[in-house]
Structure formats: structure tokens, C-alpha cells
Amino acid sequence: MFVRKKRNRSGTTSIVVAVKIQGKFKEVKTIGVSRDEAEIERFYKEGKIWADNQVKGEDLFEQHTQQTDEVYVTNLLLSNIENILHNGTQLILNRVYDSIGYDAIDDYILRQLVISRLDQPMSKSATIEYLKAHFNEDLHLGKIYRYMDKLYNTQQESIQKISVEHTRKILGGKIGLMFYDVTTLYFESDYGDGFREPGFSKDGKHSQPQIVLGLLVSEDGYPLSYSMFNGTQYEGHTMIPIVDDFVRRFKLDDFVLVADSGLINKKNIDFLKAQGYKYIIGARIKNANKIQRDWLQSLDKVEGHFNETTVAHGRLIVGYSEKRAKKDAHNRIKGINRLEKAFKAGTISKENINKRGYNKFLVISKDVQVTIDKSNVEEDAKWDGLKGYITNTDLPAAEVYDQYSSLWQVERAFRITKGTIEMRPMFHFTPKRIEAHVCICFVAYKVYKELERILKENRYKISVDKVLEVAKTVTTLKIKLPNSGKTMSKTMIITERQKAIEPLFSDDFWKFQFG
């Protein structure tokens, strides 16, 4: 039994104990591996001690060599790590993206931009650096911009078709309810260009150019279609083009359109009736004629009770809610207090006053002399808690109310796309890139909603935002095997928070979901 120094192809030296049996050398123990001459000599001496003890029939060195082996293997592992990827969100979102059917679109850049939008929304320039640092994805900014210039008219149709087909599938084969609403998206710019123009901003950015975005979603808030309009566009004129186009493209014949009272006008209602479309639309009961107003004011305000009458556009259903009544009263008091503070400070004049909101309570006799009309306040209080709905369906009043109440799904879609996905403010300035940006956010929201559905179906008591937050802490080690040259990958699930979502990284979990 003897100790030998063995040179490796990697440049390291192994210290091994060997024996000669029938003219052949056989290694019986590796003491250590190193590049450092001093450490090599130490390993050599330890090998001599171990070999001598073996000859004497003693194994006093066994415990030490086990520890040496552990250090050796660990050092070997660490020295061959090629990369550490912070790709936990990517691993989950790729699965969701594919489960919807977007993998049918052979578009690698779209996939990366969508996942980045959910994982770390930022400018396209910053996204490039993020993809490289976290996922080892190497894209170039110029390529991204060229891609966006063509995305607007190449993939939008396929994207919406996949979204609609997937939504039909998870809703049992039909769309059913469709909810429509609009929002505004502003730009970090001081100038308009004909498309991006200042208008009434739902974000309070009235001086900055904007566009109007119309969004159509299904029951439970799954996105179906969208369209963009000039920043000055009246929202009531946006509904018919997008709804009619969507219905014709996807051949819908059994649906109910639900929309807010801000979208109601004679032209819209006449069109919906002419096309035979079913609808539930919020009614502007305060603008009713005298006969209808008298009827409305005569109603008993009973929680959960509905009253109904026939009007020109269908059935007018009116309900009362104590919760709504308290909210109406609170908002009115808050608005009046704000007005009183403003005119006492001398900041109200005829030049800047309008009749929106609670300014309708003001009486202006001169530019700087304003008072609050108490009779208008008392008249407004009579409507507290009342809400009207116009429909041409034959649904029971309570069901009309329930379906209209789901309109919050569109509002939530806007909150998520503006907040989590950061659709706005926009930093693009050409119609093509604006369209592409909205398209990417549309797909990102669809992926968000599908992950939300999967979590709910599997009874995860954790939000999408929390899952993505935890997934950001999950890393994948890429280790190059020194002899074969092959690369192994290991996703590290270590902490208790990570273990709570561990199934989402498993092949078996996704096979069970979708077969």
C-alpha cells in the first residue's frame, strides 16, 4: 500500500492511496484534490498516515477521511457552478403561458416580454438588462423595438383567438356574460400628436396626452378583446365598434353585454336592439323625466327589494342598498367639505368651475362669491342608496342586479394592468409601439388571471402577487460535470415560504392540471 500524486486533466492533483494486486494498481482511497502545493503536501502526509494505519489493522484515520471527502465533494460542486439563475417566476409563468395555448405562437420574444412584464415591469431598455441578469436571456434593444414595430398587426389576432378559446373552455363552452368599460392611459410627455391627446383623464393627468382604452372581459374577469382610441374620444362612442367587431369575429350568439351608465346613449341602445344583442346597462335615474322621477321618489327604500317599470329601452329595475346609501351620503359630505374649503381659500371662479361631481351644489353670483345651495343638497340626498339598471333580458331582477354587480371585474382588470403590470405611464410614441405595448400587457393579464384560477382550483390560500413575490427568491443552479462536460440544473426550494409553493415547480403538478 502506497501513496501517489495523480495529475488530473483539469490541472488539479489528486492524492490517492493505492495497492498493487497481481501486477495491477488499484486505488483504494482518495485523500484530497487541490491545486495548491502546500495543501497537496498536507494531503500526501495524511495519506501516508492512513496507509500506515491500514497496514497495522487500525482505522484511526477513517473519521477524518470522511470529513475530507465531504469537503472535497462540496468544493468540487461549488467550483463547477456555471450560473445561478433567479428564475423562479419564469419557471411558473412559462407553464401558465403554455397552458393557455400561447405556445402555439412561435414567438420567443413575445414570451419573454410577457413574463418580464409580470415579474419585473420596467422600460424595454431595463427589461433587456433584467433578462440577462436573471434568466441569462440575451436580447438586444434594437431587436425589441423592431419587433414591436411589427407585433401590432401580426400577432394580435392570434393572441385574442387563443384567449377567447381558452376562456370558452374554462367557462364550460360559452362566453355568456361580457363586461365592457374604458380607461385612459397617459404618457410622460407634454405634447400630443393627433392620437395621444389630452382629454378627461381617469388617472387625474388632465394636462398630459393620453389614449382611451376599451376592454371587454368575460365572467370572472378573463380578458377577451381591447381597442384603443384617440385621447379626446368620448367613452360612449367606444363601445359599439369593439363589441360588434368581437361578436362578428368570434360568431357569438348567446351572450349578455353589461356596461356602466357612462356608456349609455340613444345611439348605443338603438344599435344593440337592432342587432338583437342582450344587455344590462346602468341607468341614469337622476336624469329621468318627471313621471319617472316621481315614481322613483315614491318607492319604499327596502334593503334587497327591487321595483320595476317599462321604459323606452326595456325594463328599468331599481334596487336599494343601505351600504350604498351610507357611501352616497359620505361622498356627498366629503365633496361639500372640499368645496367649502376651496371657496373660502378663494380658489374657485367661473373660469375654472364646472358641473362635474359635487360642484353642482354651487351657486356662483360673481367670480369670487360662491355659496352652497342647500336645497340641491337635500334633493340629492333623496337618491341615496338607489341604483337603476336597464335591460332587455327576461332575467329576474335580482339576477340582473347580480350580473351588473360583476362589472367590478373590468375595474379590477384596469387596476391590475395599471398597477401590477404597470401598463402606464407609457414611454412609447408611435402608434405601432403603443399597440404592441398594450398587446403585451393584455397577454400578461391573461396569464395573471389563469394563474389566479389555477391557485383557486387547487385551494391555495395565497394571491398571485404573493406567489410571484416568493418565486422571485427561488434560484436554479446550473452545474457543469467536470468529466462528461454535461450541465445539470437544480432548482433550490429551501425556505418554508418557498416550500409552500413547491408543487408549482413540479412536472407532476402541471401534468395533473392539463394532462
Side-chain angles (χ1 to χ4, degrees), residues 268-320:
N268 285 352
I269 297 296
D270 288 345
F271 177 85
L272 293 173
K273 290 172 67 176
Q275 296 298 317
Y277 297 164
K278 299 295 184 182
Y279 54 82
I280 299 172
I281 299 180
R284 296 175 175 174
I285 55 177
K286 294 181 183 179
N287 295 340
N289 59 43
K290 186 177 185 307
I291 295 176
Q292 292 171 351
R293 286 172 65 90
D294 290 342
W295 175 74
L296 288 163
Q297 290 294 313
S298 70
L299 299 176
D300 292 331
K301 294 182 176 181
V302 180
E303 179 74 28
H305 180 71
F306 296 95
N307 294 278
E308 185 175 331
T309 189
T310 301
V311 294
H313 301 312
R315 300 158 57 204
L316 172 60
I317 297 170
V318 181
Y320 173 79

Side-chain angles (χ1 to χ4, degrees), residues 363-379:
V363 175
I364 305 176
S365 56
K366 293 181 181 180
D367 278 0
V368 293
Q369 294 180 353
V370 295
T371 58
I372 292 177
D373 188 334
K374 299 296 184 181
S375 63
N376 279 351
V377 176
E378 293 172 0
E379 178 64 25

Side-chain angles (χ1 to χ4, degrees), residues 187-193 196-198 206-210 429:
F187 295 78
E188 291 289 356
S189 174
D190 296 325
Y191 306 100
D193 57 11
R196 301 173 302 131
E197 290 291 338
H206 302 295
S207 63
Q208 291 180 285
Q210 64 178 23
F429 303 105

Side-chain angles (χ1 to χ4, degrees), residues 178 258 385 426 474:
M178 295 196 306
V258 184
M426 282 202 211
V474 173

Side-chain angles (χ1 to χ4, degrees), residues 218-392:
S218 71
E219 187 176 1
D220 293 332
Y222 303 112
L224 298 172
S225 186
Y226 67 90
S227 190
M228 297 182 300
F229 304 88
N230 178 288
T232 62
Q233 178 70 57
Y234 165 56
E235 64 181 40
H237 293 163
T238 66
M239 183 173 71
I240 295 305
I242 184 173
V243 171
D244 192 48
D245 175 68
F246 181 78
V247 170
R248 293 182 186 278
R249 277 193 296 133
F250 296 101
K251 299 179 174 57
L252 300 183
D253 56 7
D254 184 16
F255 67 92
V256 177
L257 177 67
V258 184
D260 186 68
S261 58
L263 298 163
I264 188 172
N265 57 54
K266 187 177 184 304
K267 183 179 179 181
N268 285 352
I269 297 296
D270 288 345
F271 177 85
L272 293 173
K273 290 172 67 176
Q275 296 298 317
Y277 297 164
K278 299 295 184 182
Y279 54 82
I280 299 172
I281 299 180
R284 296 175 175 174
I285 55 177
K286 294 181 183 179
N287 295 340
N289 59 43
K290 186 177 185 307
I291 295 176
Q292 292 171 351
R293 286 172 65 90
D294 290 342
W295 175 74
L296 288 163
Q297 290 294 313
S298 70
L299 299 176
D300 292 331
K301 294 182 176 181
V302 180
E303 179 74 28
H305 180 71
F306 296 95
N307 294 278
E308 185 175 331
T309 189
T310 301
V311 294
H313 301 312
R315 300 158 57 204
L316 172 60
I317 297 170
V318 181
Y320 173 79
S321 164
E322 185 66 34
K323 183 178 179 180
R324 174 182 286 276
K326 291 179 180 179
K327 181 180 178 182
D328 290 342
H330 172 78
N331 289 340
R332 183 173 52 255
I333 293 170
K334 184 178 179 181
I336 291 172
N337 290 339
R338 185 174 65 246
L339 289 174
E340 289 177 336
K341 183 178 179 180
F343 73 69
K344 284 179 181 178
T347 58
I348 292 180
S349 69
K350 278 187 177 180
E351 282 71 27
N352 62 26
I353 200 67
N354 60 51
K355 291 299 182 181
R356 300 189 71 91
Y358 297 103
N359 291 342
K360 62 189 176 184
F361 299 138
L362 290 175
V363 175
I364 305 176
S365 56
K366 293 181 181 180
D367 278 0
V368 293
Q369 294 180 353
V370 295
T371 58
I372 292 177
D373 188 334
K374 299 296 184 181
S375 63
N376 279 351
V377 176
E378 293 172 0
E379 178 64 25
D380 190 73
K382 295 178 181 179
W383 301 94
D384 287 358
L386 292 176
K387 176 65 179 177
Y389 317 92
I390 293 178
T391 182
N392 63 346

Side-chain angles (χ1 to χ4, degrees), residues 141-158:
L141 186 59
K143 185 175 182 180
I144 294 295
Y145 284 145
R146 290 193 298 274
Y147 171 80
M148 294 184 72
D149 286 339
K150 69 177 184 178
L151 173 62
Y152 85 106
N153 66 353
T154 56
Q155 303 290 30
Q156 182 183 7
E157 183 66 23
S158 297

